Amino acid sequence: MGLGSFHIVKAIGSGGFSKVFLGRFKGDGMFYAMKVISKSFILKQKKKQLVVNERNIMVEINHPLHAKLYWSFESKHSIIFVMDYYLGGELFGLIKRYHRMS
């Protein structure tokens, strides 16, 4: 399992130290959200434990309102989390949008 197992369709979001892409798994054609975190940023900003904690929490959580983590792997320059893709975006973005409308 690695980046070569996916066709990157488009960028769908970005955060403080990551970018999220829509990826299509070449094995079965399913779509996934792929969070890509820069290794150099992790090391420079001393965020290694934060990323490890995020991965471990995502592995443990099993709830219908939380994106499931299917795979995590690394490339030469990045750590990648492959999880459920939900049309409409992440929860934080939806909450921000909702508050602007009310």
Side-chain angles (χ1 to χ4, degrees):
M1 181 62 59
L3 279 176
S5 301
F6 295 87
H7 169 70
I8 304 301
V9 178
K10 64 180 179 176
I12 56 175
S14 61
F17 56 93
S18 64
K19 292 185 180 177
V20 181
F21 297 90
L22 176 61
R24 189 172 202 161
F25 184 54
K26 292 177 181 177
D28 62 10
M30 295 292 293
F31 288 99
Y32 295 92
M34 301 177 68
K35 183 176 185 176
V36 179
I37 309 165
S38 163
K39 283 183 179 179
S40 64
F41 180 88
I42 293 168
L43 296 173
K44 285 178 191 171
Q45 300 298 319
K46 299 179 181 166
K47 300 290 186 185
K48 180 180 175 184
Q49 195 57 54
L50 179 72
V51 173
V52 170
N53 289 346
E54 178 179 359
R55 185 216 166 264
N56 291 343
I57 289 168
M58 290 180 72
V59 166
E60 294 296 322
I61 290 178
N62 182 19
H63 191 278
L65 297 178
H66 189 277
K68 178 181 177 180
L69 178 67
Y70 291 94
W71 303 285
S72 60
F73 53 87
E74 59 184 289
S75 68
K76 185 175 181 181
H77 300 287
S78 304
I79 303 291
I80 299 99
F81 295 158
V82 180
M83 60 197 109
D84 285 322
Y85 168 65
Y86 292 113
L87 190 62
E90 56 147 351
L91 181 58
F92 182 70
L94 293 172
I95 291 169
K96 282 175 49 178
R97 251 184 279 149
Y98 176 78
H99 280 284
R100 272 189 251 143
M101 294 188 307
S102 17

